[in-house]
Amino acid sequence: MAKVAIMGYGTVGSGVYDIIKMNSAKLAKSADEEIEVKYILDIRDFPDHPEKHLFTKDVNDIINDSEISVVSEVMGGLHPAYEFTKQLLESGKSVVTSNKELVATYGSDLLAIAKEKNVNYMFEASVGGGIPVIRPLSRCLCANNIIKIAGILNGTTNYILYQMITNNKSFDTALKDAQANGYAERNPAADIEGHDACRKIAILASLASGTEVDYSKISTEGITAITLDDVKCAGASDYVIKLIGYAEFLKNGKVYAHVAPMLIDKKNMLSGIDDVMNGVLVTGDAVGEVMFYGPGAGKLPTASAVVADIVDSVIHRTARKGMAWIKADEDNTAPADEMKFRYFIRADKSTGDAAAVFGNVTELCGISETETAFITSPLTYAEAETLTAQLGGVKTAIRVLD
Amino acid sequence: MAKVAIMGYGTVGSGVYDIIKMNSAKLAKSADEEIEVKYILDIRDFPDHPEKHLFTKDVNDIINDSEISVVSEVMGGLHPAYEFTKQLLESGKSVVTSNKELVATYGSDLLAIAKEKNVNYMFEASVGGGIPVIRPLSRCLCANNIIKIAGILNGTTNYILYQMITNNKSFDTALKDAQANGYAERNPAADIEGHDACRKIAILASLASGTEVDYSKISTEGITAITLDDVKCAGASDYVIKLIGYAEFLKNGKVYAHVAPMLIDKKNMLSGIDDVMNGVLVTGDAVGEVMFYGPGAGKLPTASAVVADIVDSVIHRTARKGMAWIKADEDNTAPADEMKFRYFIRADKSTGDAAAVFGNVTELCGISETETAFITSPLTYAEAETLTAQLGGVKTAIRVLD
């Protein structure tokens, strides 16, 4: 019998509790022993809960209980989640988490403590919700040098773009719709400005490179500037626009990463990821391209990943899993100027001649007679800035995912 | 330093060797020690190989060498692969394999021996080539009761159907094309008649249920009866036809499985899996739907999965991983008559009235004025047989993937 604790009884925490109750037979089979929740930590009271005796407001009850070997931290936020996790790892307990902000910010520290104490710090649920991605990337693709990761990592923005693409909604209407459906917060900034996706691509890039990729150094752009005209113009030429967390692993050991809306060919598997779903496309030097797809958020899907980590931690109570990275000794991020992307550009026809300014371009269908739309040859960010200024009348310039 | 052996130096075996050489630094990092090939077993001679001293024709060289802890069996076929694997496991060595026929046929036996000897028998490469699917299904989704698996598990048939769908080729032309491109064998029966996909869905179903699903009891139908007209008719109504390995896990503990061409809505992620690619859609009771996509065959992709298993076996030399199933005490397969599917039917218009015979039907675009095409309500296999006979003039009746 393995006794575990849940810290935070919000959406994910109650999902973790529900799965442990609902699928107890399956979990016992997977872990080779029964799993039981002994504590639930929350500052709130739950007087009507069927197991209200499990609740505590004091993390020391968990830290000081030698029966507890695995704790799931599903509180969210940096503090006190960081302090609690640190104390738990230091006291020799494994911690599993869905907290992407904590993993992206303090992951290196916490993974180092876990290593020192020979316990596990696992975070399958921190990226892609219920989609298996951390373990597959780290273990199943371990024979590969990872070349590239491109992911739809945020369900809210994917829902908004999908509504624009499919139902001709404006960004504002689609956002209100997302809020009405519970897919977007009242303050949607963390999602629509790309900060959520930024934490997630930082985690994937750190894991793939083995060295922390500092999320604060990742150029992050949201979808607030994307218009219905952009989406229509892309669609008319068999492309879609998606918010992409992108990372490329250079031969010199540096990592380039960004979060930005990108133009995606409808032949690319990522283009078919609709609604609130997520997907991560990984390119390895041996395997080529693989993709992991599924629900990137939600109570039971996210809890499914947290509970899988609980089971794995129970199995590995005396052995550490190698899903980890270390702090970088020096700046390991590649500057944008070293990278080239093709650009999708929409501009007024009157202001200049695209071919004269950009050289070889691929013409796309414009959405009106007064505008031109095209895809450039690969350019650095600086080159694209210079040339778009030179052309004039540019409404949109976003990178193409190749 | 972990010393390993490769049995079989064909396409996959040479890929395993190449990856171990090419990505040695990455592997050393993942396994926490260096990995070196000490033996390659093959009945042929390779006098020009740069490490020709590694080759042996005698499996006892490997069995009797206590330095060897992990062996990759990539010979294919049942014999002598079975005997070699058994001897190796019994001598306390872990074995990893890409041999789907062996895993589907003798998996239960070999997994039992591995358990008894506290070593690992791993088979990530046996399904989906390089796609991470065995480990994700077994470990990352372990908090779920698996409800359903539907997979495009054979690249050859997917290539043929894709050529029919996209390039209007007949089945025969598409098959010749596949043979010319090296995607189909000169004798293509194992692929086009569904036997390859049958082994793979048997492995996935066994793993998901924890009990062997006997592949010889899986109703298996290939794609030889699918015509260009079927494909065109499906396409005109926004469907595609794909060869699907299907398994459903019933509440009574039984497993229903089949391999057959199925009609798939273009909104389903499996519909977008083109060319020789594979994909596996898994439905769990907590996570909902997730999909794993990538190259289902090929030298380096398949070897990527084999080498990942080598690394995992090196890490777990003293601990066993729980990716296994046991032999069924009694017949655990659900008969087709307990299952209902909607059917896609094409028939001559002259012979009968679809609605009168089948009740509620969804009309599809026929491809000519003389024919009718429709989707029925859910029916058992027996009901579908009776009603199609009653209607008369039926050219095609295939199940719909819902």
Side-chain angles (χ1 to χ4, degrees), chain A residues 23 26 29 130 132 139-140 142-145 209 269 272 285-287 289-291 293-295 300-301 304 308 315-316 321, chain B residues 23 26 29 130 132 139-140 142-145 209 269 272 285-287 289-291 293 295 300-301 304 308 315-316 321:
Chain A
N23 289 355
K26 178 69 201 294
K29 206 166 146 186
R139 310 313 312 162
C140 306
C142 70
N144 293 259
N145 291 302
S209 67
M269 284 298 288
D285 63 351
V287 76
E289 279 192 356
V290 295
M291 190 183 78
Y293 161 88
L300 290 182
S304 159
I315 295 173
H316 288 86
K321 301 275 284 187
Chain B
N23 287 357
K26 178 68 202 296
K29 207 166 146 188
R139 309 313 312 163
C140 306
C142 70
N144 292 258
N145 292 301
S209 67
M269 286 296 289
D285 63 350
V287 77
E289 279 191 354
V290 297
M291 191 183 78
Y293 161 88
L300 289 183
S304 158
I315 295 173
H316 288 85
K321 300 276 285 188

Side-chain angles (χ1 to χ4, degrees), chain A residues 251-277:
Chain A
K251 288 238 165 74
N252 64 11
K254 302 254 181 197
V255 181
Y256 169 78
H258 74 232
V259 173
M262 296 184 84
L263 192 78
I264 302 181
D265 194 306
K266 282 196 183 161
K267 286 180 195 137
N268 186 309
M269 284 298 288
L270 288 177
S271 72
I273 296 178
D274 294 335
D275 216 68
V276 292
M277 302 305 270

